[in-house]
Amino acid sequence: MIQKDTIAAQVTYPGKSSVGIIRISGINTKKVAIKILGKIPKPRFATYSKFLNENNQILDHGISLWFPAPFSFTGEDILELQGHGSPFIMDLLMKRILSVKNTRLAKPGEFCERAFLNGKIDLIQAEAIDDLINSETESMVKASLNSLQGNFSYYIHNLVKTLIKFRVDIESSIDFSEEEINFNFDDIIDNNFQKLNNQFSKIQKIITNKSIVREAKKIIIVGPPNAGKSSLLNILSSYNRAIVTNIPGTTRDLIHEHININGFLCEIIDTAGFHDTQDKIEKIGINRAWETIKTSDHILFVIDKTISVESQRKISNEFIKKVRSYNNSIQITFVLNKNDLLKDDFGVKKIENFNFISISALTGQGIDTLKKYLVKIENNKEKEGLFIARRRHVHQIELSYSQFLKAKQHWLKYKNIELLAESLSLINRLIGEITGSFTSNDLLNRIFSTFCIGK
Ligand code: GDP
């Protein structure tokens, strides 16, 4: 994709430093090279050069690097000028570069955006570059590098390949009459469904076990009214963020709080208590809580432990059943609150694959155990082959997988091939948004505007 503007930016940090680097990319880069260097340097070679002003006097000496299109990061002609890192020299050089027609300052992330638009990298890799720059730990660096090398994209591309083959099988059959269709057609469809299902499950598994989500982990607190949800938010965030009363229905909307639990950043969301209510506002609050569950990483389901064990079982089982129809991969932990009123032990118990943690949000007993447990879940991930994922990717996989399950259900019920073709095309578009093969300009702008200038 040819862009008419040539872009330029200082890629090193502004301010005094030993070296300052300016990058120029676009169709007029040759003109910039001739204007500043008097010639086009040898491709991919470090050339010691004089940087000239309009009177051909020397502005600075430095290294010039020339990467002709399409063998450059952006896929366009790129010139890099490495001069002395004086803000004054950098400023004079930039002015000189920008005096070339149709050359302007690059917007944040615009070099990455051009690399993406020219098919040099996919969207996951472009985001990995930004993640790499913003990494704060060694494992974040490794995970970003893995994503940049295409480790995550590989799984998505394979999924798309299988999906496209399925679509070809389906679309080609639409043009034939029933008699002409291969008698094994149902088997072919079943086979394709099976293959796609396996690939979706594999991706969900690696997202759960091997991905570091760059944004804060989203932990949602839900449960019946008066179980102690707001008290739990308050004690985790160490201040009285939510109003606590013994009046059911006090929290009606979502309350978000960003907290740091032993060095691990998370967003905790307190919600309206789940129960049958006629109160219009409470109803909206409960619906919002269910909507938010879809995009959360972890649910803390709070139960008042002073109610009978049978009631606890009933509430937890009903919740598990319902939540699985919303979000299949979300982690669920049951928090048995108000343990201070009982003589039971504090701590974690595992019952049928679920963890139950006894605490008191009033006295703070068991809270340290809960915090350590939350951090442990994050740290338990297999360290080798970790990659970085953004919430956008996780959400898009969830969305496309639930569409896939719906498509399968509809197929089994109606055996309607046109409907199946439509659904597969929608799933293709949803997955395509992850790598950027189907992406609106609006989404691209949102993604690249968060990058830094010069990237
Ligand atoms: P929510 O409706 O689930 O958000 O519940 P709240 O946090 O508002 O608490 C409901 C009532 O239970 C309040 O009166 C709290 O003081 C009380 N409460 C909350 N946690 C505990 C606890 O661990 N022990 C005891 N004894 N009372 C609690």
Side-chain angles (χ1 to χ4, degrees):
M1 186 181 284
I2 296 171
Q3 310 280 331
K4 66 176 182 5
D5 287 355
T6 295
I7 53 172
Q10 180 174 342
V11 296
T12 43
Y13 202 71
K16 280 185 197 169
S17 60
S18 54
V19 178
I21 303 175
I22 292 174
R23 179 184 286 164
I24 307 116
S25 175
I27 46 175
N28 283 338
T29 308
K30 273 188 191 132
K31 286 186 189 157
V32 173
I34 289 167
K35 199 163 186 177
I36 293 189
L37 308 170
K39 60 178 178 197
I40 294 167
K42 187 175 166 188
R44 283 176 296 284
F45 199 83
T47 309
Y48 184 64
S49 314
K50 292 171 190 156
F51 305 156
L52 308 169
N53 72 6
E54 58 274 25
N55 303 318
N56 275 343
Q57 287 163 333
I58 297 170
L59 266 175
D60 194 10
H61 286 275
I63 302 286
S64 62
L65 294 163
W66 172 245
F67 302 96
F71 307 109
S72 70
F73 171 63
T74 57
E76 303 174 327
D77 283 343
I78 284 192
L79 176 68
E80 260 184 34
L81 301 174
Q82 308 188 352
H84 293 99
S86 136
F88 183 66
I89 294 175
M90 288 288 119
D91 195 44
L92 285 178
L93 269 174
M94 274 309 281
K95 277 192 185 131
R96 184 111 174 89
I97 293 162
L98 297 178
S99 69
V100 173
K101 210 174 158 207
N102 289 334
T103 302
R104 62 168 170 80
L105 269 179
K107 289 185 277 191
E110 205 172 0
F111 292 98
C112 281
E113 187 177 5
R114 289 191 174 194
F116 164 71
L117 292 173
N118 290 324
K120 288 277 164 180
I121 48 174
D122 67 25
L123 212 41
I124 295 176
Q125 290 170 308
E127 287 166 322
I129 294 172
D130 187 46
D131 292 333
L132 184 61
I133 293 166
N134 291 301
S135 292
E136 281 166 12
T137 62
E138 194 184 334
S139 53
M140 288 282 262
V141 169
K142 279 189 184 155
S144 310
L145 277 171
N146 279 338
S147 286
L148 182 56
Q149 282 160 8
N151 291 9
F152 182 33
S153 308
Y154 168 81
Y155 292 103
I156 306 293
H157 289 308
N158 268 353
L159 182 72
V160 171
K161 255 194 222 161
T162 311
L163 186 63
I164 288 176
K165 190 192 159 288
F166 194 0
R167 289 188 64 194
V168 170
D169 287 347
I170 298 287
E171 306 270 352
S172 54
S173 77
I174 290 178
D175 298 331
F176 294 96
S177 67
E178 264 183 44
E179 301 83 67
E180 286 171 309
I181 293 177
N182 186 328
F183 66 93
N184 278 335
F185 192 61
D186 270 5
D187 289 349
I188 293 174
I189 293 194
D190 282 353
N191 207 348
N192 275 309
F193 269 129
Q194 188 67 40
K195 261 193 204 153
L196 267 182
N197 197 44
N198 291 346
Q199 278 179 286
F200 264 122
S201 307
K202 190 165 179 186
I203 290 179
Q204 281 204 318
K205 216 170 179 179
I206 62 162
I207 280 186
T208 314
N209 296 330
K210 284 186 172 287
S211 76
I212 299 182
V213 178
R214 197 189 70 143
E215 294 94 338
K217 281 266 150 188
K218 233 177 177 178
I219 300 178
I220 186 163
I221 303 177
V222 295
N226 258 342
K229 299 180 296 302
S230 301
S231 304
L232 177 59
L233 170 76
N234 287 344
I235 200 152
L236 283 174
S237 61
S238 309
Y239 84 107
N240 291 337
R241 173 68 175 83
I243 301 167
V244 170
T245 71
N246 56 3
I247 307 162
T250 309
T251 308
R252 292 165 153 219
D253 203 354
L254 306 179
I255 299 177
H256 297 254
E257 193 61 29
H258 275 92
I259 61 165
N260 185 329
I261 302 180
N262 306 346
F264 142 65
L265 189 67
C266 45
E267 180 186 2
I268 308 263
I269 305 156
D270 183 20
T271 59
F274 288 159
H275 69 127
D276 288 330
T277 175
Q278 292 313 311
D279 185 309
K280 230 174 151 180
I281 302 174
E282 243 191 309
K283 261 188 183 166
I284 297 172
I286 293 171
N287 286 340
R288 279 193 186 165
W290 278 108
E291 274 304 304
T292 313
I293 280 179
K294 287 183 191 167
T295 57
S296 297
D297 301 291
H298 197 147
I299 298 173
L300 295 181
F301 190 90
V302 186
I303 300 175
D304 181 340
K305 201 180 175 185
T306 62
I307 64 171
S308 70
V309 174
E310 291 72 42
S311 305
Q312 293 176 28
R313 280 285 165 85
K314 189 167 174 274
I315 295 174
S316 51
N317 285 339
E318 278 173 5
F319 179 72
I320 293 167
K321 218 167 141 194
K322 187 159 182 195
V323 88
R324 285 298 174 229
S325 64
Y326 273 75
N327 183 333
N328 214 17
S329 62
I330 193 165
Q331 178 106 30
I332 306 170
T333 300
F334 292 95
V335 177
L336 301 173
N337 190 31
K338 307 196 185 179
N339 200 37
D340 54 294
L341 300 175
L342 304 165
K343 291 206 165 60
D344 284 359
D345 289 342
F346 287 87
V348 189
K349 257 192 200 146
K350 196 160 189 171
I351 307 172
E352 291 167 7
N353 281 330
F354 287 97
N355 289 311
F356 289 74
I357 305 185
S358 294
I359 62 148
S360 167
L362 189 71
T363 64
Q365 287 161 290
I367 294 297
D368 264 352
T369 310
L370 174 63
K371 286 183 177 177
K372 280 183 191 146
Y373 163 85
L374 291 172
V375 175
K376 198 172 149 201
I377 284 189
E378 255 320 277
N379 290 340
N380 256 357
K381 294 187 165 171
E382 298 164 47
K383 295 281 178 249
E384 274 317 299
L386 273 182
F387 62 87
I388 204 122
R390 293 191 168 200
R391 191 162 310 288
R392 183 182 87 71
H393 307 146
V394 180
H395 180 59
Q396 213 62 21
I397 286 287
E398 287 286 346
L399 212 62
S400 34
Y401 190 38
S402 76
Q403 281 300 331
F404 164 78
L405 294 176
K406 235 188 242 169
K408 194 173 161 190
Q409 238 177 21
H410 285 166
W411 168 253
L412 294 176
K413 204 165 166 188
Y414 306 113
K415 296 269 172 183
N416 182 324
I417 206 128
E418 278 88 5
L419 189 65
L420 179 57
E422 264 310 297
S423 308
L424 293 180
S425 139
L426 171 69
I427 297 167
N428 204 165
R429 199 174 54 75
L430 290 173
I431 303 173
E433 282 199 12
I434 301 177
T435 52
S437 50
F438 288 97
T439 315
S440 69
N441 279 344
D442 178 46
L443 178 67
L444 287 186
N445 287 343
R446 252 186 297 142
I447 290 172
F448 288 109
S449 64
T450 62
F451 285 33
C452 49
I453 291 189
K455 270 290 31 101

